[in-house]
Amino acid sequence: MTSVPLPTAQLSADEARRIALRAQGFLGAPDRRGGVRGVLRHLGAVQLDTISVLARSHELIPYARLGAVGRKTVEDAYWTEGHSFEYWSHAACILPVEEWPHFAFRRRSYRARPHWGHDLPDGAYDTVIKQLRAEGPLTATELGGAKNGGEWWDWSASKVAVERALMYGEVVCTERRSWKRVYDLAERTIPDDLLHDELDDTECLRRLVRLAGESLGVGTRADIADYHRLKGEQFDAVVADSGLVPVTVEGWSKPAWADPQALASEPRGRHRTTLLSPFDSLIWERARTERIFGFTHRLEAYVPKPKRVYGYFAMPLLSGGKLLGRVDPAREGTTLVARQVSLDSAKAVAPMAQALREAAQWVGCDSVRIERVDRAALTADLVKAVS
């Protein structure tokens, strides 16, 4: 790791927490005029995931910040008028189209070393490109079928080819249709002034580190590098020229960097009370979540059911700028079911009830049923509060 310059500011733990909340859109008045596209630009990346409980994660992200924005409005904001594209960032993410040039380093890396071992028959890649050029946007099924009929990763040649073209940047995912990727040629979908790989690797990394720092407000080397899944040494190579400034944070054992704009004014305003997707960028990095909020969060969807502690899709409760508990939700008809509720204290009852009622209304449910509360003595209070 490179040497760290002397810090320019000293932050209390509370200041760092509020800076992080404001940077992620949870402190202060929401930008309703900017809407979903404003949230995307502000965050720089919105993670996609197959799990859908209340809604899919990419819908939950703007909901958590803006409130009950219509779900069709969310999808249209992402996938119409060429405002975004899907690519590999923190994971599979929706990204603002303006960030296309910044991922040239990753496209070059994939071209040099594809990250999977699927064999590709001669001519399959060119066939997919020609078909897209002739027929326009298509799903893998429309390109000839996504699978060969075997196990989960038994992709067909056309699926392997189009995914490789996506990684190389010759093809773009322009939308999700019934959760299937819709592919089109980059030359047709990315604006001419952005469709280039002219930025060298260093400049790509410098810009991504700066943008990640702005989206986080303040973070350690690991925090900022993890935002777009950069390596620590990549962060080290560019941080001095990124515009981020070194700071110290009370209670943080490692050096940190901050967006200078985040330090220019004291974070103030209204806190959101909401349920967070486990894939929300506020809580992407477990060590960061524990450091800032004193809250241990783990997605248990892929943990065997008998070993789960908090439930399949436990959603943390954010209120007053703190994480106060979590709920594992489900839907049964027009009832939102809180299968398991975990509350840090009695003070979390009212915020949890508010968050559950709002979430229920958003997804078209007209009632909330509480099944289990870890602090059994709080069950009656919570049931009454959501009634």
Side-chain angles (χ1 to χ4, degrees), residues 291-331:
R291 190 187 332 119
I292 292 178
F293 297 104
F295 187 89
T296 301
H297 165 69
R298 179 190 183 195
L299 176 68
E300 296 181 318
Y302 307 109
V303 174
K305 188 174 182 179
K307 296 184 178 181
R308 292 175 190 154
V309 177
Y310 297 109
Y312 174 77
F313 195 73
M315 300 179 67
L317 168 68
L318 177 70
S319 184
K322 298 180 180 180
L323 298 177
L324 301 180
R326 66 201 96 200
V327 59
D328 184 33
R331 293 171 66 184

Side-chain angles (χ1 to χ4, degrees), residues 95-121:
L95 302 163
V97 72
E98 294 83 5
E99 291 192 18
W100 175 268
H102 306 159
F103 287 86
F105 84 101
R106 188 156 284 164
R107 294 190 288 270
R108 283 190 288 264
S109 175
Y110 286 146
R111 291 175 204 142
R113 183 183 54 82
H115 84 306
W116 67 67
H118 292 84
D119 293 328
L120 195 59

Side-chain angles (χ1 to χ4, degrees), residues 9-16 19 218 247-251 258 263:
Q10 294 184 334
L11 302 174
S12 69
D14 184 64
E15 287 171 331
I19 285 172
V218 59
V247 297
T248 58
V249 180
E250 174 193 9
L263 302 177

Side-chain angles (χ1 to χ4, degrees), residues 124-134 143 161 165 170-171 185:
Y125 187 97
D126 291 339
T127 297
V128 160
I129 299 300
K130 289 177 181 176
Q131 189 174 352
L132 288 172
R133 180 163 285 117
L143 281 165
E170 193 167 358
V171 158
L185 299 180

Side-chain angles (χ1 to χ4, degrees), residues 212-234:
E214 291 174 354
S215 295
L216 291 171
V218 59
T220 64
R221 173 185 191 247
D223 296 343
I224 296 169
D226 181 69
Y227 205 80
H228 292 295
R229 290 284 200 251
L230 306 181
K231 298 176 181 178
E233 54 268 28
Q234 291 175 319

